């Protein structure tokens, strides 16, 4: 990974979106496109973010399956924010399988949470519960644990189970 890509990734990790864009704004290689897509999503320009992430995913070669899978997960997050549910579940499932096969469990957990949240928004409570049950809550970062617990709370509320919903909200609060 070259120094500009590394610098851009560090900026994104610390929340400096404009700094990240400064490092990769004029580049069209797949890693730069992916980082620009993530930065644009953080700025709220979801259509542009989606376009950049798609271009990045297509640009990664067959030997870069992990990078392609990460782009698919990022694009799925953008689609969820846009409330665009047209993408078939198998696309995210394939990316999830690739991430798990390569040992990228953090992004795999993120993919599973995206699928859970999508199922909740679509009213497919059984599918959401199934995805949520596959999460290893001990492996989640505090931020992902808060999102998972909020999803669990929503699932419990929609299933008319107030006590588990309150407990999940308390766990989400503690994680946050």
């Amino acid at each position: 990974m070259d120094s500009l890509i590394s610098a851009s990734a560090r900026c994104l990790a610390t929340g400096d979106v404009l700094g990240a864009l400064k490092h990769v704004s004029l580049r069209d290689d797949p890693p730069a496109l992916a980082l620009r897509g993530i930065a644009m999503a953080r700025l709220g320009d979801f259509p542009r973010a989606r376009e950049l992430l798609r271009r990045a995913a297509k640009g990664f070669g067959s030997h870069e399956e992990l990078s392609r899978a990460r782009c698919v997960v990022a694009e799925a997050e953008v689609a969820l924010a846009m409330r665009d549910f047209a993408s078939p579940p198998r696309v995210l499932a394939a990316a999830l399988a690739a991430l798990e096969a390569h040992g990228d469990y953090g992004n795999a957990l993120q993919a599973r949470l995206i699928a859970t949240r999508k199922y909740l928004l679509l009213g497919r409570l059984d599918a959401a519960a199934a995805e949520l049950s596959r999460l290893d809550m001990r492996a989640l970062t505090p931020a992902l644990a808060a999102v998972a617990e909020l999803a669990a709370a929503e699932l419990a509320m929609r299933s008319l189970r107030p006590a588990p919903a309150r407990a999940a909200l308390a766990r989400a609060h503690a994680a946050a």
Side-chain angles (χ1 to χ4, degrees):
M1 188 180 307
D2 71 43
S3 62
L4 289 177
I5 295 295
S6 297
S8 180
R10 277 193 305 276
C11 286
L12 279 176
T14 61
D16 182 9
V17 177
L18 297 178
L21 285 172
K22 182 178 79 173
H23 293 293
V24 294
S25 62
L26 299 177
R27 295 179 54 168
D28 279 335
D29 54 296
L33 291 172
L35 288 167
R36 280 178 32 213
I38 293 166
M40 296 309 291
R42 290 194 182 166
L43 291 173
D45 188 351
F46 297 126
R48 181 74 175 134
R50 179 183 239 173
E51 175 195 337
L52 289 165
L53 290 165
R54 282 183 179 165
R55 284 179 52 203
K58 287 179 185 174
F60 285 115
S62 60
H63 62 286
E64 297 170 304
E65 181 183 32
L66 182 59
S67 296
R68 268 197 329 271
R70 289 174 176 161
C71 286
V72 168
V73 171
E75 184 185 342
E77 181 76 35
V78 169
L80 189 66
M82 294 174 66
R83 298 302 191 253
D84 179 358
F85 307 119
S87 179
R90 63 180 155 68
V91 174
L92 187 57
L96 172 64
L99 291 167
E100 288 177 339
H102 289 280
D104 187 352
Y105 300 113
N107 282 313
L109 291 169
Q110 177 72 20
R112 199 168 297 285
L113 276 173
I114 292 167
T116 301
R117 291 168 42 220
K118 180 178 178 179
Y119 287 137
L120 281 171
L121 288 170
L122 292 172
R124 296 183 54 199
L125 302 184
D126 291 339
E131 285 294 332
L132 205 52
S133 71
R134 291 185 189 107
L135 282 175
D136 179 6
M137 298 299 261
R138 298 166 304 189
L140 296 175
T141 63
L144 288 180
V147 172
E149 292 297 353
L150 287 172
E154 183 173 348
L155 181 63
M157 285 187 287
R158 290 173 128 202
S159 302
L160 303 176
R161 296 179 297 125
R166 273 193 290 280
L169 284 173
R171 289 189 304 270
H173 184 266

